[in-house]
Amino acid sequence: MTPLERFQKENGLLPDGKIGKNTLGAMRVVFNICDPAWLAHYVGQLAHESQYFTREWENLNYSYERLLQIFSYDFDQDRNRVLSEAEKQVAKILARKPEQIANFVYASQNGNGPEASGDGWLFRGRGPIMITGRKNYQLFADYVGDQEIMKNPDLIITKYYWQSAYWYFESNNLWRLCNVVDHSSIKRLTKAINGGYNNLQHRIELTEKYYKILLKS
């Protein structure tokens, strides 16, 4: 079952993997997010980020071409904004090797150790918002009071899937962007989460859809 289907089943709903009135109503209670604007922003952004709550962890099974698109900065070792043939060759070697990709592109950042430490893979993205990096995992472990997370990061998937996203909004003060639902607010929240405006229209459509359902509830 997907995380959404499990949530529905655990809360006495039909586990159909669809977000409608009943599921949003359950989320309002379980997540304790009473403001319809806040909940619409929250669910809209997370639904997009997690492919409708079906994605639990970061896949990283990237082709050579996709690696250069997403992680060009990480392969640009001399930081001259131009990938040399030698730098591109590294991407060719790593292509379709998820664990090696993670250890390379996430090395020595967000609290991770060097490539050889394996932290990149161990603390790769998990949860609907894709918490990434040893530093963020530690902050979340402190937040929920469960240090076992640092030994078993998959607890983000099996035990703290929804809480990890709530923590992300809390720790990054994102609720301040959620007071109204309009294109401007959705755009600002998207920038705060994504760093850019990737798939902005889809995020707008989802957020507005859920907001309309919540207003009628």
Side-chain angles (χ1 to χ4, degrees), residues 57-58 60 106 119-126 131-132 137:
W57 60 82
E58 190 176 12
L60 288 156
Y106 292 143
D119 281 354
W121 178 250
L122 185 61
F123 298 107
R124 65 192 182 280
R126 289 180 178 86
I131 290 179
T132 308
Y137 274 75

Side-chain angles (χ1 to χ4, degrees), residues 50-132:
S50 64
Q51 298 172 2
Y52 293 101
F53 303 106
T54 61
R55 188 175 66 163
E56 298 177 289
W57 60 82
E58 190 176 12
N59 187 297
L60 288 156
N61 187 25
Y62 293 119
S63 66
Y64 164 70
E65 292 77 15
R66 191 65 174 145
L67 280 175
L68 296 187
Q69 289 177 345
I70 300 176
F71 298 111
S72 60
Y73 179 83
D74 299 282
F75 287 103
D76 184 16
Q77 296 292 291
D78 57 13
R79 299 292 185 258
N80 67 351
R81 299 186 180 182
V82 177
L83 292 181
S84 67
E85 288 305 312
E87 290 168 336
K88 290 180 181 179
Q89 184 61 31
V90 175
K92 288 180 180 178
I93 292 171
L94 295 179
R96 299 299 183 188
K97 299 173 183 174
E99 184 169 352
Q100 293 182 38
I101 289 171
N103 288 332
F104 178 83
V105 301
Y106 292 143
S108 303
Q109 56 181 284
N110 290 326
N112 287 348
E115 184 176 355
S117 72
D119 281 354
W121 178 250
L122 185 61
F123 298 107
R124 65 192 182 280
R126 289 180 178 86
I129 204 71
M130 291 287 118
I131 290 179
T132 308

Side-chain angles (χ1 to χ4, degrees), residues 3-208:
L4 178 57
E5 290 168 343
R6 288 197 297 271
F7 173 86
Q8 291 171 322
K9 184 176 181 180
E10 289 167 0
N11 289 279
L13 303 173
L14 176 67
D16 59 4
K18 299 177 182 178
I19 302 173
K21 176 182 176 180
N22 293 336
T23 297
L24 287 170
M27 288 179 168
R28 174 183 282 177
V29 173
V30 174
F31 302 156
N32 193 27
I33 304 175
C34 298
D35 188 309
W38 281 29
L39 187 57
H41 275 293
Y42 185 68
V43 179
Q45 290 287 341
L46 296 186
H48 173 78
E49 290 286 329
S50 64
Q51 298 172 2
Y52 293 101
F53 303 106
T54 61
R55 188 175 66 163
E56 298 177 289
W57 60 82
E58 190 176 12
N59 187 297
L60 288 156
N61 187 25
Y62 293 119
S63 66
Y64 164 70
E65 292 77 15
R66 191 65 174 145
L67 280 175
L68 296 187
Q69 289 177 345
I70 300 176
F71 298 111
S72 60
Y73 179 83
D74 299 282
F75 287 103
D76 184 16
Q77 296 292 291
D78 57 13
R79 299 292 185 258
N80 67 351
R81 299 186 180 182
V82 177
L83 292 181
S84 67
E85 288 305 312
E87 290 168 336
K88 290 180 181 179
Q89 184 61 31
V90 175
K92 288 180 180 178
I93 292 171
L94 295 179
R96 299 299 183 188
K97 299 173 183 174
E99 184 169 352
Q100 293 182 38
I101 289 171
N103 288 332
F104 178 83
V105 301
Y106 292 143
S108 303
Q109 56 181 284
N110 290 326
N112 287 348
E115 184 176 355
S117 72
D119 281 354
W121 178 250
L122 185 61
F123 298 107
R124 65 192 182 280
R126 289 180 178 86
I129 204 71
M130 291 287 118
I131 290 179
T132 308
R134 177 181 283 275
K135 178 182 177 181
N136 287 322
Y137 274 75
Q138 185 63 68
L139 288 170
F140 179 69
D142 293 343
Y143 175 77
V144 296
D146 187 353
Q147 297 305 317
E148 186 65 24
I149 290 170
M150 302 308 294
K151 299 177 183 177
N152 180 15
D154 278 343
L155 285 172
I156 295 286
I157 297 170
T158 60
K159 188 175 180 180
Y160 297 112
Y161 183 81
W162 303 101
Q163 282 176 274
S164 68
Y166 190 90
W167 166 81
Y168 184 87
F169 267 64
E170 285 275 300
S171 63
N172 289 283
N173 195 24
L174 298 183
W175 299 118
R176 63 187 170 82
L177 304 175
C178 301
N179 292 319
V180 297
V181 174
D182 57 21
H183 287 198
S184 179
S185 64
I186 298 169
K187 186 175 181 179
R188 289 195 299 272
L189 184 58
T190 297
K191 179 67 179 296
I193 292 172
N194 180 258
Y197 302 107
N198 289 347
N199 303 115
L200 176 60
Q201 187 56 41
H202 187 236
R203 297 170 194 262
I204 289 173
E205 292 170 2
L206 290 176
T207 303
E208 291 183 337

